[in-house]
Amino acid sequence: MRIRLGIAYDGTDFRGWSTQPGLRTVQGVLEEALGTLFRREGVAPRLTVAGRTDAGVHALGQVAHVDLPASALDGVTRPRRGDALRGLDAEPAAALLRRLTGILGASENDVVVTRATIAPRGFDARFSAVWRRYEYRIADAGALRDPLARHRTVWFPRELDVAAMDAAAGSLTGLHDFAAYCKPRVEATTIRTLQSYRWTRRSDGVLEASIQADAFCHSMVRALVGACVAVGEGRLDAGDPFALLEAAERTSAFKVMPAKGLVLTEVGYPPDGELAARAEQTRARRELLAAPVDDPSAWTT
């Protein structure tokens, strides 16, 4: 059975999503918890994620799936004595969420599984997605610097022109080769559709970017933010980020912004009846573009 998981985490103390030997990662922590839960069933669950985040990047709306033998799921989630009296849901996915939360720790943990459901037919957390959305927060010289939000907000020493930043951001939307904004990966495509990119200043003065695309290549989000920050402080003109885009090669005209300001907020999927077709379409497109099989569909750093 395929289980869809909603996941949130504070990326501060993680070395990114993907499992790495000897390092603490989100995938590593979750798979260790799942391994503990299913140890007696002889199952070592592996997660497939919508978008691999890098070290320091946070998530509120991450999505992953895990495939489990029905017998193993039943062995772990069958009702326990007293569950009914406590009003606990006996549905397998709900029971799995409770057991997993118990292993991870219900309080003061920096990774939380927020939701577990039986995935619809054809669902693939990575390939069925139609968009990923991120937010980036900057407290410049004109903003309130909230120490309680310091792990997810970049403090910037000068005041930024948010109107110029928003104009530059809007010029970058559409289908483009984002090679100027991506770390190169052998044989991996840098062609993406940036569906929306906006900058606003919140009531507390904090600048907030909303960025949405079908997928993001490695380093793309923080590079896009860095280009607009350079516009906001006057080091680049509002038209320069698009001119750099047209050059289609990695540039040093701006600095890639720190990871801690970046949060994956939501992943979008089509209606259930279109999930399998979307996954097939995405796989076919990536093969056509000569991306390697293990090329992640959505890097965020």
Side-chain angles (χ1 to χ4, degrees):
M1 298 182 69
R2 177 160 291 183
I3 305 296
R4 171 177 169 167
L5 301 175
I7 303 166
Y9 46 89
D10 178 342
T12 304
D13 294 327
F14 287 108
R15 294 297 297 171
W17 167 268
S18 300
T19 300
Q20 302 177 61
L23 297 177
R24 187 173 185 261
T25 68
V26 182
Q27 182 181 14
V29 167
L30 290 172
E31 289 185 347
E32 181 179 1
L34 285 165
T36 299
L37 185 60
F38 285 91
R39 182 174 58 244
R40 292 184 179 179
E41 308 299 323
V43 176
R46 293 292 176 262
L47 293 167
T48 297
V49 72
R52 301 181 190 180
T53 53
D54 209 348
V57 178
H58 316 293
L60 293 174
Q62 181 67 278
V63 179
H65 76 247
V66 58
D67 293 326
L68 300 166
S71 59
L73 184 62
D74 179 67
V76 164
T77 63
R78 65 171 56 99
R80 296 178 178 177
R81 183 181 302 174
D83 281 359
L85 293 176
R86 293 195 297 272
L88 298 178
D89 192 342
E91 194 272 330
L96 175 66
L97 179 59
R98 288 198 304 275
R99 310 284 192 264
L100 190 55
T101 298
I103 292 173
L104 288 170
S107 64
E108 299 187 12
N109 198 20
D110 52 3
V111 57
V112 175
V113 178
T114 59
R115 183 186 181 197
T117 58
I118 304 297
R121 185 178 179 85
F123 175 81
D124 185 295
R126 172 184 168 192
F127 287 116
S128 294
V130 292
W131 50 262
R132 286 92 172 162
R133 183 182 299 147
Y134 299 90
E135 288 180 357
Y136 197 94
R137 291 161 49 104
I138 301 174
D140 66 354
L144 172 67
R145 297 191 172 183
D146 181 359
L148 300 181
R150 68 190 184 280
H151 290 307
R152 60 166 297 187
T153 307
V154 170
W155 290 2
F156 197 80
R158 294 174 291 282
E159 188 163 353
L160 297 169
D161 184 343
V162 68
M165 293 168 67
D166 187 53
S171 72
L172 296 169
T173 59
L175 176 64
H176 302 291
D177 184 346
F178 284 93
Y181 295 92
C182 299
K183 288 184 179 180
R185 292 174 57 83
V186 177
E187 297 184 9
T189 179
T190 51
I191 297 173
R192 297 288 189 271
T193 299
L194 185 61
Q195 298 166 344
S196 65
Y197 184 12
R198 296 296 309 272
W199 280 95
T200 57
R201 189 180 288 276
R202 295 157 29 115
S203 59
D204 60 1
V206 172
L207 277 71
E208 187 172 84
S210 175
I211 311 174
Q212 179 176 309
D214 59 344
F216 292 90
C217 50
H218 196 194
S219 184
M220 181 174 164
V221 179
R222 292 195 289 135
L224 289 170
V225 171
C228 287
V229 168
V231 170
E233 62 178 330
R235 291 193 295 110
L236 292 179
D237 293 332
D240 288 342
F242 184 79
L244 293 169
L245 180 71
E246 290 188 311
E249 60 181 18
R250 187 71 170 175
T251 178
S252 59
F254 55 83
K255 293 182 179 179
V256 174
M257 293 295 286
K260 73 174 185 176
L262 184 60
V263 181
L264 170 59
T265 59
E266 190 175 0
V267 181
Y269 294 92
D272 289 356
E274 301 173 17
L275 289 166
R278 171 63 184 180
E280 184 178 351
Q281 178 189 49
T282 303
R283 289 190 185 93
R285 184 170 68 247
R286 294 198 175 279
E287 290 173 3
L288 181 64
L289 292 170
V293 172
D294 64 347
D295 179 42
S297 62
W299 286 93
T300 63
T301 55

